[in-house]
Amino acid sequence: MDDWVAFLSARLAEDADLATACGCDGEWAAHGHTVDFCVTDLPGFVPRFAEHVARHDPARVLREVAAKRRVLKRHAPGPRGACRADGSRWPCAEIRDLAAPFADHPDFPRRY
């Protein structure tokens, strides 16, 4: 398996596992200074922070992981070091963009 595919697959699996481990497949909601996490409410947030936290609930994370996995599958490395989706040099721009949020991870592929 290619380094980029393995790296992104591992990060997406981590995100999905963490979202699933939250024990709530519903959506979180912000109510002023409180975030409703399905299983408990947690007060003490600045309202904008509460909105941000609620926006990244497990259901959304799992939808994002599924979408990113579809992009990764379409843009897998093909013959002669080219992206199967667009024929550009591997890793293509889409794969580098998918990996960019994980640039600070110790396993981030540094070569391309």
Side-chain angles (χ1 to χ4, degrees), residues 65-88:
V65 166
K68 290 173 182 177
R69 284 177 171 158
R70 289 190 301 271
V71 171
L72 183 58
K73 186 175 180 179
R74 280 192 308 271
H75 288 270
R80 296 176 295 282
C83 172
R84 280 192 285 177
D86 61 21
S88 66

Side-chain angles (χ1 to χ4, degrees), residues 19-70:
T20 302
C22 286
C24 170
D25 58 2
E27 295 181 0
W28 295 348
H31 306 287
H33 296 277
T34 301
V35 178
D36 173 0
F37 290 102
C38 299
V39 293
T40 188
D41 290 347
L42 185 61
F45 286 91
V46 173
R48 294 299 286 168
F49 290 179
E51 290 175 32
H52 176 75
V53 169
R55 182 170 288 187
H56 295 86
D57 63 36
R60 177 182 174 152
V61 169
L62 293 173
R63 289 190 305 270
E64 286 186 27
V65 166
K68 290 173 182 177
R69 284 177 171 158
R70 289 190 301 271

Side-chain angles (χ1 to χ4, degrees), residues 1-12 72 75-78 81 90-92 95-96 98-100 102 105-112:
M1 180 182 289
D2 176 81
D3 289 350
W4 287 88
V5 173
F7 175 78
L8 281 167
S9 295
R11 301 299 73 76
L12 294 174
L72 183 58
H75 288 270
W90 182 259
C92 65
I95 294 302
R96 292 192 311 271
L98 281 180
F102 305 107
H105 191 282
D107 296 335
F108 185 82
R110 298 293 171 195
R111 60 165 183 81
Y112 62 88

